[in-house]
Amino acid sequence: MRGSRMNPCDSRTRSTMTIVIVMGLCCFFYILGAWQKSGTGRGDSIALRVNQETDCTILPNLHFETHHSISGANPLIMTNKVIEPCHIRYSDYTPCQDQSRAMAFPRENMTYRERHCPSENEKLHCLIPAPKGYVTPFPWPKSRDYVPYANAPYKSLTVEKAVQNWIQFQGDVFKFPGGGTMFPNGASAYLDELASIIPLADGTIRTALDTGCGVASFGAYLMDRNILTMSFAPRDSHEAQVQFALERGVPAVIGVLGTIKLPYPSRSFDMAHCSRCLIPWESNGGMYMMEVDRVLRPGGYWILSGPPINWNKYYQTWKKSKQDAEEGQRRIENIAEMLCWDKIYEEEDIAIWQKKVNSHSCHQMNGHASKMCKVQDADDVWYKNMESCITPPGESAQLKKFPERLSAIPPRILEGHAPGVAEEDYEEDNKLWKKHVNTYKRVNKLIGSSRYRNIMDMNAGLGSFAAALDSPMSWVMNVVPTISENNTLGIIYERGLIGIYHDWCEAFSTYPRTYDLIHGYGIFSLYQNKCDVEDILLEMDRILRPEGAVILRDSVDVLNKVRSTVSGMRWKSKLLDHEDGPHVLEKILISVKEYWVGGEEENSS
């Protein structure tokens, strides 16, 4: 009897054990299959757990919203070395365009306005302070029209350009009416006139270069037409031109047409523009127009408004003789003809030329061959002297219109002009960065919003980070380091993005506090044994806005070294695992710069 009562129980026990074993085997083989299918040797379930753990809710010590206050700051996790603030007089310090250093260089050809970086023993090893009262800029598009006075407290332009509608001072803000010296009726009306000649609306024109940009209203209003403009102006007596542009949320760098080639690859821009930029285009054998020709894409447009156009009306105002004024335009016309540019429009103060799509036959005429540059690589420009010669026209496939251009395979890759980059590499890179950017957005849900307007990618590669972020709420300055194995900046421009060459052992050509978010993939591994980690981090801190964010992706050893440095820089940081799990040596360091402002008592140097 006892035995017969226990048999059903034994049967149920064996049945339960069988189910448990079967379920265990199913789980094991499912995990094994996922592990084998994953390219990194980690299963989808592990990646999902990592993604869940990197949600911003588990980063309680990082606050991405703005506070404008020091009182709410959390204590730093690590305090190996404290880096002190610089004196408040350095609040707008631009190391490689320092006014006092510039005066030691020749005035000829604007040499003194070019990059002249401090020597090693002249570098500041302190944190550049924000001015008292500094606040986070207004979100786009309000920032286009208004800038807080405390962020760039310089009124000289409001007086000097009062009648030209550049900038006005109203209470505690600057207002930018959208005017300019040559467009007193506003940039929109000026662009409407250009649009009657140039296709600004259909995606043909995507990248523009504005030389001597002023406060960059030309570029600001082109954004309404989905056109990205690289604006530049020297750091000169017109205080804070480029700083105002970046405060407005418009791409700009400190720069000048002088003796050194522009830091952009050949055939980069669909359009170039000069609105009373006062560049002597006809001087030095047309060298400056030849440099514009180098960076202008076949079929691209050059717009010149202001002197010497319409000289017959203005020569007396310019205090020139009629003969000299006429000669100025005639020489520009001759240089344009030599460059194989066709004049397609002249009305009042505006003239427009178009570069021939195919200029080979043109350049073979009239002995042009003798004027061709003897360059091996027209994209090798960092600190290279500008020359009075014509860059040979390169073969280039027709670019697609934007936004198709953003994801289409760039001509430099299709035609085999990008060593080390195949079509498959490009496609894979796009997929990878979509995945990475999705991770960043889970960590920081403000990415993609108006919180981060000015974004920099310190090691841009093929531009896929910027492409994955593409949004009217932000723009990305894609930096290709001069020591990179592959020169990819031409590819980035062919995607309809903008960028610049730079060596991170030196300071970037911008004012302090001009970027909301800085991204760096492998940047510290790239510069190992090239320059000091601390110098690069201090430069990042200089150009990062208070309460701006930094995302660094690198090996764990490198990021631990970085983290130990930033712990003394008033940054709050968190080290996260790679998307594919903790066993991947590549990690992600997320940091936020604290809000703080300088004071007279801070006088370290």
Side-chain angles (χ1 to χ4, degrees), residues 301-456:
Y301 300 86
W302 187 56
I303 304 151
L304 177 61
S305 62
I309 306 303
N310 206 1
W311 57 268
N312 197 41
K313 179 179 179 180
Y314 293 113
Y315 73 91
Q316 290 177 318
T317 305
W318 302 337
K319 297 181 180 178
K320 287 190 174 185
S321 69
K322 190 173 183 179
Q323 183 178 358
D324 287 345
E326 183 180 13
E327 176 66 12
Q329 179 160 352
R330 188 186 65 79
R331 290 172 67 185
I332 285 176
E333 303 273 10
N334 290 341
I335 296 165
E337 183 181 356
M338 180 178 63
L339 292 171
C340 299
W341 296 358
D342 295 321
K343 188 187 227 182
I344 60 174
Y345 180 81
E346 183 174 347
E347 190 71 33
E348 291 293 328
D349 303 334
I350 300 175
I352 302 174
W353 286 264
Q354 184 175 20
K355 183 175 177 177
K356 290 184 184 295
V357 173
N358 188 338
S359 58
H360 284 281
S361 58
C362 172
H363 284 304
Q364 290 170 0
M365 297 170 57
N366 303 321
H368 284 190
S370 62
K371 297 181 178 67
M372 290 292 170
C373 301
K374 305 298 189 293
V375 294
Q376 297 297 317
D377 183 359
D379 296 349
D380 181 17
V381 296
W382 188 246
Y383 284 129
K384 295 294 192 302
N385 289 328
M386 206 181 296
E387 301 174 85
S388 296
C389 60
I390 304 169
T391 302
E395 297 291 341
S396 181
Q398 186 66 35
L399 283 173
K400 295 184 181 297
K401 294 181 179 181
F402 197 85
E404 291 82 8
R405 191 187 296 186
L406 186 63
S407 54
I409 298 175
R412 276 174 163 87
I413 296 177
L414 281 174
E415 297 168 356
H417 296 154
V421 184
E423 293 180 34
E424 312 85 69
D425 300 323
Y426 175 78
E427 299 286 4
E428 189 60 34
D429 195 67
N430 277 325
K431 291 178 185 176
L432 180 66
W433 282 103
K434 285 177 183 177
K435 171 183 172 181
H436 289 339
V437 168
N438 284 336
T439 297
Y440 298 156
K441 288 181 176 179
R442 281 194 292 269
V443 174
N444 181 351
K445 290 182 170 60
L446 295 175
I447 293 175
S449 74
S450 60
R451 174 68 185 85
Y452 302 118
R453 171 67 181 171
N454 302 354
I455 299 175
M456 173 180 282

Side-chain angles (χ1 to χ4, degrees), residues 232-243:
F232 70 82
R235 175 159 190 163
D236 61 1
S237 57
H238 296 162
E239 287 182 298
Q241 292 179 94
V242 168
Q243 189 174 20

